[in-house]
Amino acid sequence: MNLLTYESIELKKTTHTLIAAGIIMIEGIEGEHIELSDAIEMRDANLKLTDGKPFCLLMNGITSYHTYSSEAKELFASEEYCKLRRAVAFISNSLPVTLMVKFFINLNKPKSPSRVFSTKEEALTWLKTIDLK
């Protein structure tokens, strides 16, 4: 039997798991509020998981819902934060969460492509088309 194991980093408010080459899934703890310091820790975890190489994110909004400070949202959308992040796929099967994610994308205009999907499979299919160079 061949069991797959993935490298994972648990932070105070999120868990980051390398689920495929260059693809990190982030799952948050229900109800947490992500501050600027959390956003910096999240970026550091992503860089550690990928050895500082380009990557894509899969944000799992189905398993939890959390909020973000305006400073954290600005950092997530910034050119600095997107330097090695090639794309972000958000998963949501909740209309309110989907609307909030679309509002974030339209308002903050992240420097890397960002889309919302209703299933993990759809999100992964899209992320696997992203060039990680």
Side-chain angles (χ1 to χ4, degrees):
M1 181 181 207
N2 186 8
L3 296 176
L4 295 175
T5 58
Y6 302 107
E7 187 174 355
S8 186
I9 297 175
E10 282 194 43
L11 301 176
K12 211 168 28 173
K13 299 179 181 178
T14 56
T15 299
H16 302 239
T17 306
L18 188 64
I19 61 170
I23 299 177
I24 299 168
M25 182 167 67
I26 298 179
E27 297 178 285
I29 297 172
E30 182 70 33
E32 286 290 350
H33 183 70
I34 306 296
E35 299 286 349
L36 179 61
S37 59
D38 301 313
I40 293 168
E41 282 183 345
M42 291 170 71
R43 178 185 58 201
D44 293 345
N46 296 337
L47 294 175
K48 184 175 181 182
L49 284 171
T50 60
D51 294 323
K53 294 182 177 118
F55 60 91
C56 294
L57 294 180
L58 179 64
M59 302 292 292
N60 192 348
I62 290 176
T63 58
S64 68
Y65 169 75
H66 38 276
T67 59
Y68 301 87
S69 71
S70 57
E71 296 85 5
K73 286 189 270 189
E74 286 176 22
L75 181 62
F76 285 136
S78 72
E79 188 140 347
E80 172 196 354
Y81 204 90
C82 297
K83 192 173 187 177
L84 293 173
R85 187 184 76 203
R86 297 297 184 249
V88 181
F90 296 88
I91 312 168
S92 171
N93 60 2
S94 160
L95 181 58
V97 172
T98 298
L99 292 174
M100 286 180 22
V101 170
K102 287 182 177 184
F103 181 75
F104 164 78
I105 292 170
N106 289 327
L107 180 68
N108 293 288
K109 302 193 184 336
K111 303 298 181 214
S112 58
S114 303
R115 292 180 57 188
V116 184
F117 299 90
S118 57
T119 68
K120 181 178 177 180
E121 293 73 24
E122 291 172 321
L124 283 172
T125 297
W126 178 67
L127 287 176
K128 288 176 180 177
T129 68
I130 303 298
D131 185 6
L132 289 176
K133 294 180 183 166

